[in-house]
């Protein structure tokens, strides 16, 4: 099987796993009074240790987000005792917050383990194949920098039961995909908001400044930030036209196509650690896992 469809299948399996642990995660979120995004930040804070959690550190993996949505949630978690502010804008998990975060992890992983539809030997084999991809990704340097995947790897559980291990291994690969994407475009010097604006125009998902702002309002940036992003893209010759109807130039198309090609090249290089037979085996196991989870959730 080719790497692209195999990765798509891997993501489909992860989505199927998510349907089985989401009720446990949502229950904890409701009881805590913190939303799911904030719980994600608590998990991130755990991986940052011994460093602090801050908006700036959270933006390393996701530079498209404004700082204040992160900071607002860090403050909310601190107000409830999960985090302590140790310097302006810098937070650490409290002892209680760390224990509660570990409890969150244990609860969602228990739900995963209970839902595993594969025979134990097959589930263990799937975990082994995915682990080989993760281990090779961790050591495939210098491009991309393995920052996100290294942090995600800190959350790897014990190998038994295997499905939580499978889930975290796939999460590690998704983190490495983010590393690969950052490595593909950041050397250009383009701002994160300009790159994302170009991506939405390139994909045909926005056709004006107004629609761009509407689609990306969740990022927390003001409308003016995207007006500046379009101006930056025009200055680089990547788009032309007014804010009401910008279009991607030939140079912009070539640039964004190259970003995608470089992302794939970086991301899939470690996948050569599996031979064709092992990739076929991996595809079969992932498909059976996905289908089995979907059937049991129906």
């Amino acid at each position: 099987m080719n790497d692209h469809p195999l990765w798509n299948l891997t993501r489909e399996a992860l989505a199927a796993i998510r349907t089985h642990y989401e009720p446990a995660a949502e229950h904890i979120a409701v009881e805590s009074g913190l939303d799911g995004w904030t719980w994600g930040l608590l998990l991130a804070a755990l991986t940052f240790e011994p460093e602090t959690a801050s908006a700036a550190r959270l933006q390393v993996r996701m530079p498209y987000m404004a700082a204040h949505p992160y900071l607002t949630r860090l403050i909310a978690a601190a107000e409830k005792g999960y985090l302590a502010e140790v310097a302006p804008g810098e937070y650490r998990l409290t002892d209680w917050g760390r224990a509660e975060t570990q409890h969150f992890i244990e609860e969602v992983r228990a739900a995963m383990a209970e839902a595993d539809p594969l025979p134990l030997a097959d589930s263990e084999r799937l975990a082994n194949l995915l682990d080989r991809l993760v281990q090779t990704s961790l050591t495939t340097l210098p491009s991309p920098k393995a920052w996100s995947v290294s942090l995600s790897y800190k959350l790897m559980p014990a190998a038994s039961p295997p499905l939580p291990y499978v889930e975290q291994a796939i999460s590690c690969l998704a983190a490495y995909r983010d590393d690969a994407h950052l490595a593909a475009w950041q050397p250009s010097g383009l701002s994160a908001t300009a790159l994302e604006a170009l991506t939405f125009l390139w994909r045909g998902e926005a056709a004006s400044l107004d629609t761009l702002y509407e689609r990306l309002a969740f990022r927390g940036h003001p409308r003016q930030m995207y007006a500046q992003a379009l101006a930056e893209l025009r200055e680089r010759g990547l788009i032309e036209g007014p804010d009401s109807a910008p279009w991607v130039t030939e140079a912009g198309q070539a640039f964004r196509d190259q970003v995608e090609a470089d992302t794939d090249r970086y991301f899939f290089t470690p996948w050569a650690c599996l031979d064709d037979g092992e990739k076929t085996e991996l595809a079969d196991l992932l498909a059976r896992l996905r289908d089995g989870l979907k059937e049991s959730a129906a």
Side-chain angles (χ1 to χ4, degrees), residues 102-171:
Q102 292 287 1
H103 174 69
F104 177 91
I105 293 171
E106 291 166 4
E107 288 295 305
V108 298
R109 285 179 171 167
M112 292 181 212
E114 185 177 348
D116 194 347
L118 296 179
L120 180 60
D122 290 345
S123 195
E124 289 175 339
R125 177 58 174 164
L126 175 58
N128 176 264
L129 291 169
L130 290 170
D131 182 64
R132 285 173 57 191
L133 287 176
V134 171
Q135 295 297 333
T136 308
S137 298
L138 285 164
T139 57
T140 302
L141 301 172
S143 292
K145 294 179 181 178
W147 191 81
S148 300
V149 66
S150 296
L151 294 178
S152 185
Y153 191 72
K154 289 184 176 183
L155 297 178
M156 287 299 294
S160 181
L163 190 56
Y165 195 92
V166 165
E167 189 272 342
Q168 190 59 42
I170 299 175
S171 294

Side-chain angles (χ1 to χ4, degrees), residues 148-212:
S148 300
V149 66
S150 296
L151 294 178
S152 185
Y153 191 72
K154 289 184 176 183
L155 297 178
M156 287 299 294
S160 181
L163 190 56
Y165 195 92
V166 165
E167 189 272 342
Q168 190 59 42
I170 299 175
S171 294
C172 286
L173 293 176
Y176 190 70
R177 179 80 186 184
D178 287 344
D179 286 333
H181 187 58
L182 293 174
W185 70 264
Q186 284 185 330
S188 72
L190 204 64
S191 70
T193 50
L195 186 279
E196 189 163 40
L198 177 62
T199 297
F200 270 65
L201 296 173
W202 174 72
R203 289 177 176 165
E205 295 176 348
S208 68
L209 172 58
D210 288 340
T211 56
L212 187 66

Side-chain angles (χ1 to χ4, degrees), residues 12-22 112 163 166-167 170 289 293:
E12 290 171 5
L14 180 63
I17 296 171
R18 186 175 295 117
T19 62
H20 286 268
Y21 74 71
E22 275 183 339
M112 292 181 212
L163 190 56
V166 165
E167 189 272 342
I170 299 175
L289 174 63
L293 288 169

Side-chain angles (χ1 to χ4, degrees), residues 246-258:
W247 69 87
V248 179
T249 64
E250 185 176 340
Q253 180 75 34
F255 171 81
R256 191 56 186 81
D257 287 347
Q258 190 62 53

Side-chain angles (χ1 to χ4, degrees), residues 228-287:
Q228 293 172 2
L230 293 181
E232 181 181 350
L233 293 171
R234 283 192 201 90
E235 184 177 346
R236 296 279 291 265
L238 302 178
I239 68 167
E240 291 183 1
D243 286 351
S244 59
W247 69 87
V248 179
T249 64
E250 185 176 340
Q253 180 75 34
F255 171 81
R256 191 56 186 81
D257 287 347
Q258 190 62 53
V259 167
E260 202 70 10
D262 288 344
T263 298
D264 287 342
R265 176 167 55 87
Y266 291 144
F267 178 64
F268 288 119
T269 293
W271 291 48
C273 72
L274 300 181
D275 62 31
D276 289 344
E278 289 168 327
K279 289 180 181 179
T280 299
E281 182 183 9
L282 176 59
D284 176 69
L285 290 167
L286 287 168

